[in-house]
Amino acid sequence: MQFSETDLKQLSEKGVSKEKVVDQINTFKEGIPFVHLEEPAIVGNGISRFSDTEGEALVAAFEAVAAGSDLLKFVPASGAASRMFKSMFAFLEEFDVRNETFEAYIQRTKRTDVETLLERRKEMPFYRNIQERIAGKTMSEDEEKYLFIKEMLSEEGLNYGFYPKGLLPFHSYEKKVVTAFEEHLKEGARYAETNGKASLHFTISPQHELLFKQEFEVARARVHHWTGIDFDVDFSFQKTATDTIAVDTDNKPFRNTDGSLLFRPGGHGALIENLNDQNADVIFIKNIDNVVPSRNLAAVAQSKKILGGALLKVQQQIFEYARLLDSGTPDATALIEIKTFLGSELNVRFADSFEHFSLMDQIKVLKDKMDRPIRVCGMVKNEGEPGGGPFWVRDQNDNISLQIVESAQVDMSNTEQAGILKGSTHFNPVDLVCGVKNYKGEKYDLLNYVDAKLGFITGKTKEGRELKALELPGLWNGAMAFWNTIFVEVPTVTFNPVKTVNDLLRPSHQGE
């Protein structure tokens, strides 16, 4: 692959190496293989379910250790809200209030989601704000419906389609309206607090930085008044060096009309770089749009502390075993104990040939299996939500491990693989607690535990020309492929995503 001097200058300015671009082009040429599912992870086989007594013990374990630990809540928050309003934008383009009734429009387009929003608009957290702005400006009910959506989305109005999800009103309490960002502060105060201060990190888009900082100043004061907790909040952007090269249909670099190389954002998997920059002992990860009203905060906090307790409990045992292996040569009994622990508590599967290894080779394998970052992932019962799920997966080296798999990674033309996918009982809500340091307190370089072969290739167009784009391995998918993984069943009350604006009408998002 030959690059011009202009190309090399562009790569240098982006902080992307020539070697990385060549690797990405080779990935396009080779394609990305489907994952090989062995079986779904279920309760009793890959997913743990704790009794009330066990849960209380884990909460106590978390609270005992957390007081002296550096805790952080990490929230991917750069997603734009425009996709939330897709049908509403279409309504503004399609509906001519002067020449068609709203009822006729719905019959013609079958956009029942638009009909639902407008029929129930009084239940939306932003209803009062919009109504105050459009009061007295309409002559009919149909005009009011049209103007309601227009005020919500137009640049001259509230312009919600421009904002990131984190800055949209999600909940209302009497006369107070609260954004998703503020709800994350309230939640973080419940389980990410040490010595009266909770630390949160949000990954955002550069164009929204000032808006987030302004919202923080308002939300911090309100949540501090309510909780007595102060906050240490910072922000980061997806790094331009994680952008990926686009190629044409012949797998040659796609060039813009000015001849420059086209790069595209690498997807949420790029955030492994931002996560790698954090230095906390325990890191909670949760998406920006998954928040609950205040009445459910206690249940969410309890669940998070159970996950945190599960992490700290297994981590403490790992640290003891790691010290033992580093201090000398343990006897065969100790090795059996460690191997049993790794299998039962960390879901590690060993090759049949392990029993025939020499003592030193067994120690080497055990050290390798333990010396990794750990993630404890909440899993909710599958109730039809789109997205990934927990599975036992066999990789190209015949290693079997627990992974979070998206349906796009599975060969649906393979009847057996499709059947395994459909047999999943649980769903990934993006509810993780991570331990990223070894027993010496040294942080792992998380980039060493990414499976680069688990990305995604998608078809796109630009200026009427077809291209292929590459998404990096997802943050909780391939970007954590070589972590130690524990799946734990969590209550459905902890999972309340907002993918479309109408999700705010769910009972789980209605205020007090």
Side-chain angles (χ1 to χ4, degrees):
M1 176 69 206
Q2 295 295 318
F3 294 99
S4 68
E5 289 299 320
T6 302
D7 293 339
L8 293 175
K9 181 180 179 183
Q10 183 182 356
L11 297 184
S12 176
E13 290 173 348
K14 286 188 67 67
V16 179
S17 70
K18 181 175 70 173
E19 292 74 21
K20 180 179 286 189
V21 173
V22 170
D23 285 344
Q24 291 173 359
I25 293 173
N26 287 335
T27 297
F28 283 113
K29 292 177 179 178
E30 297 167 3
I32 294 176
F34 291 113
V35 301
H36 181 84
L37 304 179
E38 284 288 300
E39 56 185 332
I42 60 175
V43 173
N45 183 26
I47 300 178
S48 297
R49 175 187 288 159
F50 299 124
S51 67
D52 290 344
T53 301
E54 290 171 325
E56 290 170 3
L58 290 171
V59 170
F62 172 78
E63 291 177 343
V65 176
S69 300
D70 185 6
L71 309 178
L72 176 70
K73 183 178 182 183
F74 182 93
V75 184
S78 57
S82 54
R83 283 177 291 182
M84 281 179 57
F85 301 102
K86 183 178 179 181
S87 292
M88 309 307 152
F89 277 116
F91 167 72
L92 292 179
E93 292 182 1
E94 297 167 345
F95 181 51
D96 184 352
V97 69
R98 294 165 296 183
N99 298 305
E100 184 178 27
T101 67
F102 180 74
E103 182 179 358
Y105 168 80
I106 296 299
Q107 291 179 347
R108 174 170 63 86
T109 63
K110 304 297 187 284
R111 292 197 182 278
T112 55
D113 48 353
V114 176
E115 183 180 30
T116 298
L117 183 149
L118 289 169
E119 285 182 349
R120 299 178 58 188
R121 58 189 183 275
K122 291 183 179 180
E123 300 171 46
M124 285 292 181
F126 42 75
Y127 170 74
R128 288 195 192 95
N129 193 4
I130 293 179
Q131 283 300 121
E132 288 174 359
R133 297 168 71 99
I134 66 174
K137 296 182 180 179
T138 60
M139 300 293 291
S140 68
E141 174 69 11
D142 282 2
E143 279 188 39
E144 182 176 320
K145 289 176 179 178
Y146 177 79
L147 197 56
F148 186 91
I149 301 295
K150 183 178 180 181
E151 185 65 31
M152 181 172 67
L153 297 179
S154 69
E155 290 185 17
E156 300 77 23
L158 294 173
N159 201 18
Y160 281 165
F162 161 78
Y163 281 78
K165 286 185 181 181
L167 298 181
L168 292 182
F170 264 41
H171 301 143
S172 59
Y173 306 96
E174 297 180 352
K175 295 184 179 180
K176 182 177 70 173
V177 176
V178 173
T179 62
F181 178 86
E182 182 168 337
E183 295 289 26
H184 273 284
L185 294 187
K186 289 161 62 177
E187 193 179 294
R190 293 288 191 114
Y191 58 81
E193 170 266 329
T194 303
N195 298 323
K197 179 175 285 189
S199 297
L200 294 90
H201 181 93
F202 294 83
T203 62
I204 63 174
S205 298
Q207 66 266 33
H208 298 137
E209 182 180 14
L210 179 59
L211 293 173
F212 268 105
K213 288 183 174 180
Q214 291 172 339
E215 172 65 11
F216 174 50
E217 292 306 315
V218 174
R220 172 168 58 180
R222 295 204 303 197
V223 180
H224 177 74
H225 175 76
W226 184 64
T227 64
I229 302 298
D230 200 0
F231 295 91
D232 183 5
V233 169
D234 61 355
F235 305 94
S236 66
F237 314 132
Q238 188 166 313
K239 300 178 181 180
T240 58
T242 63
D243 291 352
T244 57
I245 191 77
V247 298
D248 61 21
T249 54
D250 295 321
N251 295 318
K252 295 179 180 177
F254 188 99
R255 294 187 180 274
N256 297 303
T257 52
D258 63 0
S260 62
L261 298 168
L262 174 64
F263 285 86
R264 295 175 55 87
H268 65 72
L271 299 181
I272 193 67
E273 299 253 6
N274 303 65
L275 185 63
N276 198 38
D277 291 337
Q278 310 309 313
N279 195 43
D281 299 321
V282 177
I283 302 176
F284 296 88
I285 301 178
K286 190 178 183 186
N287 275 341
I288 188 66
D289 66 344
N290 183 15
V291 289
V292 298
S294 296
R295 68 176 182 275
N296 291 329
L297 273 179
V300 169
Q302 178 84 353
S303 178
K304 292 291 187 297
K305 290 180 179 182
I306 289 173
L307 297 181
L311 169 71
L312 294 173
K313 181 180 177 183
V314 75
Q315 190 179 59
Q316 183 179 31
Q317 186 62 70
I318 287 174
F319 288 176
E320 289 182 13
Y321 286 143
R323 290 188 188 94
L324 175 63
L325 294 181
D326 279 353
S327 64
T329 304
D331 58 26
T333 302
L335 295 187
I336 292 172
E337 179 183 328
I338 295 172
K339 179 176 179 290
T340 301
F341 166 81
L342 289 172
S344 62
E345 301 297 326
L346 274 179
N347 302 295
V348 174
R349 294 194 177 181
F350 293 85
D352 294 338
S353 57
F354 178 84
E355 304 298 337
H356 305 292
F357 290 176
S358 68
L359 185 65
M360 294 307 297
D361 283 343
Q362 287 188 351
I363 291 173
K364 184 178 179 181
V365 170
L366 293 175
K367 281 186 174 182
D368 175 65
K369 297 292 187 183
M370 284 196 299
D371 194 20
R372 302 169 183 229
I374 310 169
R375 57 176 178 164
V376 178
C377 310
M379 292 291 155
V380 296
K381 290 181 180 178
N382 196 333
E383 297 181 347
E385 294 284 353
F391 293 89
W392 291 98
V393 173
R394 184 185 297 272
D395 68 17
Q396 294 175 327
N397 297 317
D398 276 341
N399 297 312
I400 298 175
S401 61
L402 285 178
Q403 301 291 338
I404 297 171
V405 178
E406 309 292 331
S407 58
Q409 296 177 273
V410 180
D411 182 3
M412 297 303 289
S413 67
N414 183 312
T415 304
E416 179 186 15
Q417 290 291 289
I420 294 173
L421 180 71
K422 292 176 182 176
S424 177
T425 59
H426 287 70
F427 171 83
N428 166 42
V430 188
D431 185 1
L432 295 82
V433 188
C434 305
V436 295
K437 295 181 180 179
N438 63 19
Y439 78 93
K440 300 176 183 177
E442 300 165 335
K443 194 184 76 64
Y444 292 106
D445 183 349
L446 304 184
L447 305 185
N448 292 334
Y449 302 89
V450 176
D451 188 342
K453 296 299 183 182
L454 291 181
F456 302 86
I457 295 175
T458 57
K460 305 286 183 180
T461 60
K462 182 175 174 61
E463 298 169 348
R465 293 182 292 157
E466 292 186 5
L467 61 86
K468 291 193 287 186
L470 176 65
E471 283 193 25
L472 298 172
L475 180 58
W476 40 84
N477 308 110
M480 296 183 176
F482 300 127
W483 291 41
N484 278 322
T485 298
I486 299 171
F487 292 148
V488 175
E489 186 178 78
V490 295
T492 54
V493 70
T494 64
F495 183 53
N496 298 282
V498 177
K499 303 307 178 187
T500 74
V501 65
N502 282 13
D503 286 334
L504 293 173
L505 294 171
R506 293 182 178 186
S508 58
H509 278 292
Q510 293 299 299
E512 313 296 71

